[in-house]
Amino acid sequence: MNLSEILKMLQKKSNDPPQAPAPPPVPVYWVETSDSVSHHFQFEPDGQLSVKIVDDARPASRRMVESFLNKFFPSGYPYSVNEGYLRYTQFRALQHFSSATLSVLSTQSLLFAAGLRPTPAQATAVSWILKDGMQHVGKLICSNLGARMDSEPKCWRILADVLYDFGTGLEVISPLCPHLFLEMAGLGNFAKGMAVVAARATRLPIYSSFAKEGNLSDLFAKGEAISTLFNVLGIGAGIQLASTVCTSMQGKLVVGPLLSLFHIYCVTEEMRATPVNTLNPQRTAMIVADFIKRGRIPSPADLRYQEDLLFPGRLIEEAGSVKVGRPLHNVVKPSQLHQVKEKFPEEKFILNRGTKWTDMILERNATGEDALKGWLVAAYAAEIEKTLHQTSSDPLEEAYERTVNVFSPFLSELQAKGWHTDRFLDGTGRRFAL
């Protein structure tokens, strides 16, 4: 192509009419309607998704209720949480309300005992200062008990509130003995310090038992929002009581115990509603007992109201009356150790049957599955001795054969019911390593 042809082509292009600019892209949007609410969704030019409500036919009362649920309950409630969460939340709110109310009265009493005459508002302000001192000592002592709290979070959560109310009670009655002000205030804050550590340490396993869709952070955030709301309401109620009914010591001695009893009742109902899904000695024994007696495996929600929150270490006869974690030298003589271990050489547990109970000691790296298997062997052995009147030469061997036959389907169904079998939380129970 020569130069003249190139010039002709350029001249032809310059004479062509200008092309119209490309039309802007059509916005991508859609409208979704759910429960009388229409939402307009649209992708912005920068790629962001915007959402606007275009029509809301819900009554005002329903909008308020749903707004409350969105702020104080996890997203997707009630389908995103496990059974019992609503009852747990109701009593948790009442527990925080009564605790905050009682705290205002106790702080006012402490200041009276110190020779001051504060207003209720001053009592709430000074309460933050009085939480220091001996409270830190209580926190340090209670921090050494974390393993036991993992094993029995419900019991320790109740104990935390009992300790808190004990400390608060000492503060309430402190004006009766003003010469012992420092002793009463120090002991009260010491008990409350232990209570704070126990309450915080048990919070995570309790919230985890309700998490159903990996939404633990959402559960935690909404739970703390409810606690904060009812703490504020409780402080308001405490200020009102301190200004009226509880201006005298007699009024405090009547209202204080009533609030404390209501407080303990609420936290007990909270814990009863909590379906903890980890294996500890009590829950393992209850699972095995239900399986031996009825041939079924209970879910965490099935067992929550059957747990003994006062005496969790009680023996369950239907589960073989098993004790876990006693010191090895108290269970087996050193000369008999290898003989006992050889009964189940491939397993990570040792069983030693006594006249009143069966001792089970786990290896250091034993899991919840190992504890379940050992417990089943002990339960079957007790059943064999009871039904056959010791006609079997060694009930443990026969019990082990039964356990091996049923253990795989037993474990599969247990996991399907929501139980976590990867760990066995035996508190401070002793374990062995050979």
Side-chain angles (χ1 to χ4, degrees):
M1 182 181 292
N2 55 28
L3 180 62
S4 60
E5 291 177 344
I6 294 175
L7 292 174
K8 288 180 181 179
M9 290 179 62
L10 292 174
Q11 185 178 6
K12 182 178 179 182
K13 285 184 178 181
S14 62
N15 295 331
D16 290 342
Q19 295 182 352
V26 178
V28 178
Y29 70 91
W30 66 94
V31 177
E32 293 182 5
T33 303
S34 176
D35 292 335
S36 305
V37 183
S38 298
H39 293 86
H40 179 274
F41 296 83
Q42 179 173 327
F43 282 108
E44 301 295 343
D46 58 359
Q48 296 294 323
L49 179 65
S50 65
V51 183
K52 297 179 182 178
I53 297 178
V54 295
D55 184 29
D56 190 349
R58 296 174 299 173
S61 58
R62 184 177 172 187
R63 289 201 298 270
M64 292 176 62
V65 170
E66 292 184 0
S67 176
F68 177 85
L69 291 177
N70 290 335
K71 287 181 174 62
F72 294 102
F73 284 80
S75 300
Y77 174 84
Y79 306 105
S80 61
V81 296
N82 284 321
E83 185 178 349
Y85 182 73
L86 177 60
R87 184 173 179 83
Y88 167 83
T89 302
Q90 290 170 337
F91 282 101
R92 178 173 170 79
L94 294 174
Q95 171 222 333
H96 280 276
F97 178 84
S98 57
S99 176
T101 303
L102 192 58
S103 178
V104 173
L105 301 183
S106 69
T107 302
Q108 185 190 46
S109 295
L110 272 178
L111 297 176
F112 277 142
L116 303 176
R117 291 294 181 268
T119 65
Q122 290 170 331
T124 58
V126 178
S127 65
W128 297 101
I129 302 173
L130 295 177
K131 288 183 179 179
D132 294 331
M134 284 296 290
Q135 192 176 70
H136 296 302
V137 179
K139 289 180 179 180
L140 289 174
I141 292 176
C142 199
S143 63
N144 295 324
L145 304 173
R148 298 187 182 188
M149 297 177 195
D150 277 333
S151 178
E152 290 289 351
K154 293 185 178 185
C155 299
W156 280 93
R157 186 63 182 87
I158 294 174
L159 178 61
D161 284 270
V162 171
L163 285 171
Y164 189 89
D165 284 4
F166 172 74
T168 304
L170 289 177
E171 295 173 349
V172 169
I173 65 174
S174 59
L176 298 178
C177 42
H179 57 288
L180 297 176
F181 170 74
L182 289 179
E183 291 83 352
M184 299 282 279
L187 184 58
N189 276 299
F190 175 78
K192 290 166 79 171
M194 295 184 68
V196 167
V197 172
R200 289 177 179 173
T202 55
R203 193 176 301 168
L204 184 59
I206 290 170
Y207 276 131
S208 298
S209 65
F210 288 110
K212 193 175 181 179
E213 300 176 348
N215 55 343
L216 181 58
S217 296
D218 192 18
L219 272 168
F220 190 88
K222 298 302 171 59
E224 294 307 295
I226 290 177
S227 300
T228 302
L229 172 64
F230 280 86
N231 271 327
V232 172
L233 294 177
I235 290 173
I239 292 174
Q240 184 65 28
L241 287 172
S243 305
T244 54
V245 179
C246 297
T247 53
S248 65
M249 194 65 214
Q250 291 82 356
K252 289 188 178 70
L253 291 177
V254 172
V255 174
L258 292 177
L259 282 173
S260 181
L261 287 174
F262 181 66
H263 179 215
I264 300 301
Y265 168 74
C266 288
V267 74
T268 302
E269 289 300 312
E270 277 181 62
M271 296 303 102
R272 281 166 52 82
T274 304
V276 177
N277 52 11
T278 52
L279 294 177
N280 69 352
Q282 181 180 195
R283 286 188 287 276
T284 304
M286 294 169 69
I287 291 170
V288 170
D290 223 20
F291 180 72
I292 297 293
K293 287 171 59 179
R294 301 181 180 87
R296 69 179 186 89
I297 296 175
S299 67
D302 295 331
L303 289 188
R304 55 188 171 148
Y305 288 109
Q306 300 175 32
E307 289 186 67
D308 191 335
L309 301 182
L310 293 180
F311 305 102
R314 65 186 175 90
L315 298 178
I316 299 179
E317 185 178 353
E318 294 84 355
S321 299
V322 177
K323 278 190 176 183
V324 183
R326 289 212 304 157
L328 187 61
H329 65 272
N330 291 342
V331 176
V332 182
K333 295 180 180 179
S335 59
Q336 298 176 342
L337 178 58
H338 286 283
Q339 179 184 351
V340 173
K341 175 61 179 170
E342 284 304 312
K343 288 185 178 180
F344 315 112
E346 303 298 325
E347 303 298 343
K348 296 181 180 180
F349 57 82
I350 287 177
L351 291 177
N352 186 41
R353 287 189 55 75
T355 56
K356 294 183 179 179
W357 64 76
T358 299
D359 279 296
M360 180 169 69
I361 306 176
L362 299 170
E363 283 192 17
R364 186 176 299 168
N365 60 343
T367 65
E369 297 178 14
D370 299 308
L372 283 165
K373 183 178 284 189
W375 220 296
L376 271 175
V377 173
Y380 276 133
E383 184 183 46
I384 291 169
E385 286 190 348
K386 185 177 180 180
T387 56
L388 302 181
H389 305 287
Q390 296 185 342
T391 57
S392 176
S393 58
D394 189 351
L396 284 176
E397 288 187 7
E398 185 176 342
Y400 183 72
E401 292 178 4
R402 287 193 190 182
T403 301
V404 170
N405 292 333
V406 304
F407 190 69
S408 292
F410 168 80
L411 184 62
S412 298
E413 187 175 351
L414 193 76
Q415 294 170 341
K417 288 291 182 74
W419 291 101
H420 293 176
T421 61
D422 55 330
R423 291 177 300 160
F424 182 71
L425 305 174
D426 49 355
T428 57
R430 309 289 181 88
R431 298 200 178 193
F432 75 95
L434 293 178

